[in-house]
């Protein structure tokens, strides 16, 4: 029996939705409701305990000899996604009531000895082993997905902020690109590895560049990764994922990564089947019937399937890997041409290094790549992806991405274990609404407690008599007020 974990947050809504004519005594209802409210406040804490989050982070360099425990600081940062205010505005508006200062949080984020990349890899590996155990994939069609997403940052003081071209807005911006490797079984998508990318050209780097860090240290290595090419990092991330024991036999990516050298390295070093979309240009040639032909000419010269079929043409060709204009390797691949739904006059070409794979299966596996786009959208829209703090250090920026992806895992496990399907946005809003209800009810509980204490002093009545008065008043109110006041009264009694 697996632990239901964050599912118990739904018990709160059920407890708050008790019918008016419920036959249970009022004090029993209040005790149960207060108990469920306390449980729902610990969704993140239960997630930490279930997957050993603090222990994993400790293994990756997070430890404190004295002062505020790592768990307390991490839980505060983790739960900021449910707060309507950032830490800065909490302090400015007098709503920051923690037992530590803002400097403690910033020192935690800027700790150069904490390996957030390794933390996410280990957490995701543990998470994937649990999720993979929920399904029976006899064909071992678990897939790795690769893509990058822009992360705009305009501060000149922020380390390694660079100028890059955004293909969505079709314009230049300042910030980072976040290269991400994710795992999917077709239902749940799990972020596995990431790296903030900066330009390798110094003239395009707007932010500061630290030269006082030893290149052999952890800080030096992550800065070197940031200025490494995406294709080299793709191979590195895939090899690390396979080495860590993540089950996967396929890697899927868009045309930006579909370079012959990268495909060859993924097959040799990571032992993965590559499924990728190809660019519709005439620069890349393939060997077909002893001739060098590009994908446009292949489509034009070949006979297509008629009718409204899922794919129009399938060919087995050799992908040519060159070095200094010399062919060093021929890789047998299958090309599958699909009609472009956006434009009936155009087509899309997919490549698979498994020439025995069915065309429909190739299409289905590549279709899973869209899951990583959904993950990016959810992380940016709901989970404060890189937006919690404006710290200039590169370590703090990396920490924010890792924490945002860990938040996504909390949403993903709830989505997977729910009895009915809910989108990530719906689940986030459910968590958020529950916590807003809890904040309101806690304030109401303070008022109820002060009211009861004052009335007992003024009228000289016992606590039992005062409770009878409160129960009578609550029972005479409308249902939606009954639920809130019953919960508040239960918390006031437990205090």
């Amino acid at each position: 029996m697996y632990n239901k974990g964050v599912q118990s947050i739904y018990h709160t809504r059920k407890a708050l939705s008790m019918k008016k004519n419920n036959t249970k005594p009022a004090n029993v209802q209040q005790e149960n409701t207060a108990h469920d409210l306390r449980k729902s406040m610990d969704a993140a804490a239960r997630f930490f305990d279930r997957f050993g989050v603090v222990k994993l982070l400790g293994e990756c360099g997070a430890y404190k000899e004295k002062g505020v425990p790592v768990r307390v600081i991490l839980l505060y940062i983790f739960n900021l996604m449910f707060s309507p205010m950032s830490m800065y505005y909490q302090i400015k508006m007098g709503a920051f009531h923690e037992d530590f200062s803002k400097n403690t949080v910033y020192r935690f984020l800027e700790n150069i000895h904490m390996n957030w990349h390794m933390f996410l890899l280990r957490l995701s590996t543990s998470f994937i082993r649990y999720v993979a155990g929920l399904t029976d994939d006899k064909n071992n069609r678990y897939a790795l997905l690769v893509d990058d997403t822009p992360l705009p940052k305009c501060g000149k003081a922020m380390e390694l902020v660079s100028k890059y071209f955004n293909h969505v807005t079709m314009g230049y911006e300042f910030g980072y690109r976040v290269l991400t490797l994710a795992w999917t079984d077709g239902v749940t998508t799990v972020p596995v590895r990431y790296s903030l990318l900066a330009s390798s050209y110094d003239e395009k780097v707007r932010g500061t560049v630290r030269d006082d860090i030893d290149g052999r240290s952890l800080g030096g290595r992550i800065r070197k990764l940031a200025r490494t090419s995406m294709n080299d990092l793709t191979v590195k991330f895939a090899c690390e994922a396979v080495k860590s024991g993540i089950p996967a036999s396929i890697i899927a990516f868009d045309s930006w990564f579909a370079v012959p050298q990268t495909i060859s390295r993924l097959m040799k070093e990571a032992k993965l089947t590559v499924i990728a979309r190809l660019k519709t240009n005439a620069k890349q040639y393939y060997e077909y019937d002893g001739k060098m032909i590009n994908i446009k000419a292949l489509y034009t010269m070949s006979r297509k399937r008629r009718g409204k079929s899922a794919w129009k043409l399938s060919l087995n060709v050799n992908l040519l890997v060159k070095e200094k204009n010399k062919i060093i390797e021929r890789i047998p691949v299958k090309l599958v041409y699909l009609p472009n739904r956006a434009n009936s006059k155009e087509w899309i070409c997919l490549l698979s290094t498994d020439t025995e794979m069915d065309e429909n299966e190739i299409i289905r596996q590549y279709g899973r790549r869209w899951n990583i786009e959904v993950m990016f959208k959810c992380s940016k829209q709901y989970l404060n992806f890189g937006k919690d703090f404006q710290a200039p250090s590169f370590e703090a920026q990396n920490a924010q991405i890792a924490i945002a992806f860990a938040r996504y895992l909390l949403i993903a496990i709830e989505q997977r274990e729910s009895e009915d399907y809910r989108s990530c946005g719906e689940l986030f809003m459910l968590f958020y609404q529950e916590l807003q209800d809890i904040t309101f009810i806690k304030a109401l509980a303070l008022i109820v407690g002060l009211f009861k204490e004052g009335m007992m002093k003024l009228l000289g009545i016992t606590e039992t008599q005062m409770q009878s008065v409160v129960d009578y008043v609550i029972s005479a109110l409308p249902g939606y007020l009954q639920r809130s006041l019953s919960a508040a009264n239960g918390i006031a009694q437990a205090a």
Side-chain angles (χ1 to χ4, degrees):
M1 292 293 292
Y2 61 83
N3 183 4
K4 289 291 184 182
V6 294
Q7 274 192 331
S8 61
I9 197 167
Y10 293 114
H11 298 165
T12 304
R13 188 173 294 273
K14 185 176 180 181
L16 294 176
S17 300
M18 292 181 297
K19 293 183 179 180
K20 184 177 180 179
N21 59 353
N22 198 315
T23 56
K24 290 184 179 181
N27 58 342
V28 175
Q29 295 180 21
Q30 294 159 4
E31 291 175 2
N32 292 340
T33 304
H35 176 69
D36 287 333
L37 282 168
R38 286 191 293 270
K39 287 174 62 179
S40 66
M41 296 175 67
D42 298 329
R46 289 195 304 273
F47 175 77
F48 279 27
D49 294 336
R50 184 176 184 180
F51 293 101
V53 173
V54 178
K55 180 181 178 182
L56 290 175
L57 193 58
E59 294 172 355
C60 298
Y63 62 91
K64 295 190 68 176
E65 295 180 356
K66 59 181 179 179
V68 183
V70 170
R71 178 187 177 89
V72 175
I73 303 172
L74 185 60
L75 271 173
Y76 168 75
I77 299 173
F78 194 89
N79 284 323
L80 274 178
M81 67 172 175
F82 297 121
S83 173
M85 294 186 290
S86 64
M87 184 179 72
Y88 170 79
Y89 278 106
Q90 287 180 7
I91 296 172
K92 193 170 183 179
M93 302 300 291
F96 186 81
H97 305 299
E98 305 300 326
D99 295 330
F100 48 84
S101 68
K102 68 173 185 178
N103 294 333
T104 303
V105 176
Y106 281 110
R107 283 196 299 267
F108 176 79
L109 294 172
E110 294 175 356
N111 189 340
I112 200 170
H113 302 293
M114 291 170 59
N115 192 339
W116 290 98
H117 295 168
M118 187 58 62
F119 162 72
L120 181 64
L121 177 62
R122 294 188 178 185
L123 176 60
S124 298
T125 302
S126 175
F127 189 94
I128 288 169
R129 286 172 182 165
Y130 167 74
V131 172
L134 300 177
T135 58
D136 184 16
D137 192 350
K138 297 180 180 179
N139 297 322
N140 191 22
R141 291 303 187 187
Y142 299 126
L144 297 175
L145 313 173
V146 180
D147 204 356
D148 70 308
T149 186
L151 182 63
K153 296 284 183 180
C154 59
K156 292 184 179 180
M158 287 191 176
E159 191 175 356
L160 293 179
V161 164
S162 305
K163 185 179 181 180
Y164 64 89
F165 186 79
N166 190 329
H167 293 275
V168 177
T169 61
M170 300 304 292
Y172 285 95
E173 297 177 354
F174 286 102
Y176 307 104
R177 288 172 301 149
V178 185
L179 179 67
T180 306
L181 177 80
W183 175 93
T184 184
D185 61 351
V187 179
T188 302
T189 305
V190 181
V192 174
R193 195 71 163 81
Y194 75 96
S195 177
L196 292 175
L197 298 182
S199 176
S200 58
Y201 300 100
D202 290 337
E203 59 270 18
K204 290 187 177 181
V205 178
R206 184 187 192 185
T208 58
V209 179
R210 293 183 62 178
D211 55 2
D212 60 333
I213 299 178
D214 191 340
R216 297 168 297 178
S217 66
L218 175 61
R221 293 199 303 271
I222 65 170
R223 284 163 175 80
K224 183 178 179 181
L225 280 180
R227 310 190 78 175
T228 305
S229 71
M230 288 197 300
N231 290 332
D232 289 340
L233 285 180
T234 298
V235 178
K236 175 181 173 61
F237 290 174
C239 291
E240 289 179 355
V242 172
K243 186 177 179 180
S244 66
I246 293 176
S249 60
I250 294 171
I251 185 168
F253 43 75
D254 209 346
S255 56
W256 300 107
F257 306 90
V259 180
Q261 289 82 357
T262 303
I263 294 173
S264 175
R265 291 181 62 191
L266 286 169
M267 293 178 64
K268 292 178 180 178
E269 299 176 27
K271 310 298 182 184
L272 294 170
T273 297
V274 177
I275 296 178
R277 179 176 177 175
L278 300 177
K279 293 182 179 179
T280 56
N281 57 35
K283 295 182 180 180
Q284 178 64 44
Y285 284 82
Y286 301 86
E287 189 177 53
Y288 181 68
D289 287 342
K291 300 178 182 179
M292 304 298 178
I293 309 174
N294 60 49
I295 59 174
K296 287 187 175 180
L298 283 170
Y299 185 77
T300 303
M301 64 183 288
S302 302
R303 186 174 181 178
K304 274 74 72 176
R305 298 174 74 196
R306 295 189 177 186
K308 295 183 179 180
S309 55
W311 53 276
K312 293 293 185 181
L313 177 64
S314 177
L315 297 171
N316 287 342
V317 300
N318 287 329
L319 175 65
L320 306 177
V321 182
K322 296 182 179 181
E323 184 176 333
K324 296 181 180 179
N325 294 326
K326 292 184 179 180
I327 300 174
I328 60 174
E329 185 180 3
R330 289 175 168 84
I331 304 175
V333 298
K334 177 181 281 189
L335 302 183
V336 180
Y337 292 82
L338 323 174
N340 190 341
R341 294 181 180 179
N343 190 339
S344 59
K345 296 182 180 180
E346 297 180 358
W347 43 265
I348 296 170
C349 185
L350 302 183
L351 174 147
S352 171
T353 56
D354 184 356
T355 57
E356 301 298 324
M357 187 180 294
D358 181 72
E359 288 79 5
N360 292 316
E361 180 66 11
I362 293 173
I363 297 170
R364 187 179 74 87
Q365 291 295 337
Y366 180 76
R368 289 182 172 184
R369 196 202 67 82
W370 185 251
N371 292 348
I372 196 172
E373 302 284 2
V374 176
M375 183 186 74
F376 286 145
K377 178 67 174 178
C378 176
S379 299
K380 290 182 176 182
Q381 188 168 354
Y382 301 110
L383 308 181
N384 294 349
F385 188 76
K387 296 180 180 179
D388 283 319
F389 305 94
Q390 294 299 320
S393 75
F394 200 60
E395 282 75 22
Q397 297 300 325
N398 273 284
Q400 292 185 81
I401 301 301
I403 292 171
F405 280 145
R407 292 166 177 165
Y408 184 83
L409 295 182
L410 171 63
I411 303 294
I413 195 64
E414 174 62 29
Q415 186 181 38
R416 188 58 179 262
E417 293 181 346
S418 295
E419 295 179 359
D420 57 333
Y421 178 78
R422 291 178 173 86
S423 68
C424 291
E426 288 177 310
L427 290 169
F428 172 81
M429 294 310 297
L430 176 62
F431 282 124
Y432 183 83
Q433 184 60 46
E434 292 292 353
L435 290 179
Q436 298 309 306
D437 290 344
I438 290 165
T439 303
F440 169 72
I441 290 171
K442 286 176 69 178
L444 199 59
L446 179 62
I447 296 173
V448 171
L450 292 173
F451 171 76
K452 290 167 66 175
E453 182 179 351
M455 292 298 290
M456 284 189 293
K457 287 182 179 180
L458 290 173
L459 302 179
I461 59 177
T462 65
E463 185 175 354
T464 304
Q465 291 173 324
M466 188 65 230
Q467 185 60 48
S468 300
V469 173
V470 172
D471 291 341
Y472 174 78
V473 172
I474 290 175
S475 63
L477 293 173
Y480 71 96
L481 289 177
Q482 278 192 35
R483 291 190 289 271
S484 297
L485 280 171
S486 294
N489 189 33
I491 293 177
Q493 282 185 306

